[in-house]
Amino acid sequence: MSSPHRVVAIDLGKSRCRVAVDGARLDGVGAPGLAATGGVAAALAAIRPLLDRIDGDIPLLGIGAAGAWAAPSAAQELAAALAASTGARVAVASDVVTAHAGALGGGDGVLLIAGTGAAALGVDAEGVRLVDGWGPELGDFGSGSWLGREALRAVLRHSVGLSSGTVLTAAITDRVGTASEIPTWLARPEPLARRLATLAPLVLDAAADGDPVAGEIAAHAVRLLAAAASAASSRTLDVALHGGLTDHDWFRSALVAALQAASSDSAPRRHVPAAGDALDGASLLARRTDLPHERYVHRAE
């Protein structure tokens, strides 16, 4: 018989779905996001096969789902559907919210996400504030997809004599093709943001090796991300980093330095290691209702 305190935590992203239960991890496919057409049905299709693999009762179910911030009614619908089918007490929040709760242990601070997309979520005495997370068409400034797009632009500009040479030309040719082939690569049916983000390491490695063009692209990304973190809270001390770009040592060091440089007596910034991840945050929000994230949690039982 399962413990009444047993929690199943889910991190539902656009590319994969991760589940944590009893110290074990399960992985499956992701879903387009709750804000997409048919988002709830797609989320259920991603989650239910993984829940079917879990033995025993599920008293508590915590879920961080992409798109929940922009589609709160869909998040509530997802919570109700899972409560009805599992008998669990269900808590659904945006994956940004669960990532924040996990990284900062449910407390105040800023979570700066720099992966395929980019966003900064600040929680302090004044409330909760999300900066960016607007998607690749309107935002995600400084993200992996942004870096990839800027790399392609640099190569195209150089190909017609509008900018100086860069080692990115050879790197992009190996990965994408010549400048004339870039439009065809962009038109492929696979999700563009993810493909652009695969080019980000090329930019960061070139910047770390001293290429001026790549260096300026990376430096601008750092400025954009640091500005988002500052805008997310005017008073918080702690900033935790999350996302694939922060695994790049050179870029992470540059970002931490920029955050420290933006610090002031009225708004000091201190980089702190993440206490946990989005699965930890989903578990925490499932178990507690007294955290500052509560107004962004959708519950059903």
Side-chain angles (χ1 to χ4, degrees):
M1 184 173 180
S2 300
S3 164
H5 303 295
R6 184 193 201 202
V7 181
V8 174
I10 297 177
D11 180 37
L12 177 61
K14 294 182 179 180
S15 58
R16 64 174 178 161
C17 182
R18 300 185 300 148
V19 175
V21 56
D22 301 333
R25 297 287 176 98
L26 304 173
D27 286 284
V29 298
L34 292 181
T37 301
V40 174
L44 290 169
I47 292 170
R48 280 175 169 156
L50 296 175
L51 294 182
D52 289 343
R53 293 166 57 185
I54 298 172
D55 294 328
D57 295 334
I58 303 175
L60 296 172
L61 179 57
I63 302 165
W69 186 284
S73 60
Q76 187 62 56
E77 183 181 345
L78 177 63
L82 287 171
S85 63
T86 65
R89 291 163 49 200
V90 180
V92 175
S94 165
D95 54 348
V96 178
V97 172
T98 54
H100 185 286
L104 291 149
D108 290 358
V110 170
L111 176 67
L112 178 59
I113 300 173
T116 298
L121 183 64
V123 176
D124 59 28
E126 296 176 352
V128 177
R129 187 176 189 186
L130 179 65
V131 177
D132 207 343
W134 301 319
E137 291 82 9
L138 298 177
D140 287 345
F141 295 110
S143 68
S145 60
W146 184 93
L147 284 165
R149 183 177 287 108
E150 292 304 307
L152 295 180
R153 284 174 171 162
V155 171
L156 288 170
R157 286 177 60 81
H158 173 61
S159 73
V160 294
L162 290 176
S163 64
S164 57
T166 168
V167 300
L168 290 175
T169 297
I172 293 298
T173 298
D174 289 342
R175 184 73 63 86
V176 175
T178 63
S180 63
E181 293 173 305
I182 289 175
T184 301
W185 185 84
L186 291 173
R188 289 179 183 176
E190 302 92 346
L192 180 58
R194 292 182 210 163
R195 282 188 290 127
L196 288 171
T198 65
L199 306 178
L202 303 179
V203 182
L204 300 185
D205 288 345
D209 289 340
D211 180 73
V213 173
E216 179 49 39
I217 293 173
H220 191 36
V222 166
R223 291 192 294 269
L224 290 168
L225 291 168
S230 295
S233 176
S234 61
R235 56 170 59 189
T236 188
L237 283 169
D238 296 342
V239 180
L241 303 180
H242 177 74
L245 293 185
T246 65
D247 293 333
H248 192 281
D249 291 341
W250 180 88
F251 190 72
R252 184 184 184 90
S253 296
L255 189 52
V256 169
L259 292 170
Q260 292 172 340
S263 182
S264 66
D265 291 339
S266 60
R269 307 286 177 205
R270 181 182 65 194
H271 168 247
V272 297
D277 63 9
L279 287 168
D280 296 307
S283 177
L284 188 61
L285 293 176
R287 290 184 284 110
R288 294 181 56 179
T289 61
D290 60 336
L291 299 177
H293 313 77
E294 184 60 27
R295 63 175 290 196
Y296 300 97
V297 180
H298 306 272
R299 300 186 183 274
E301 56 182 276

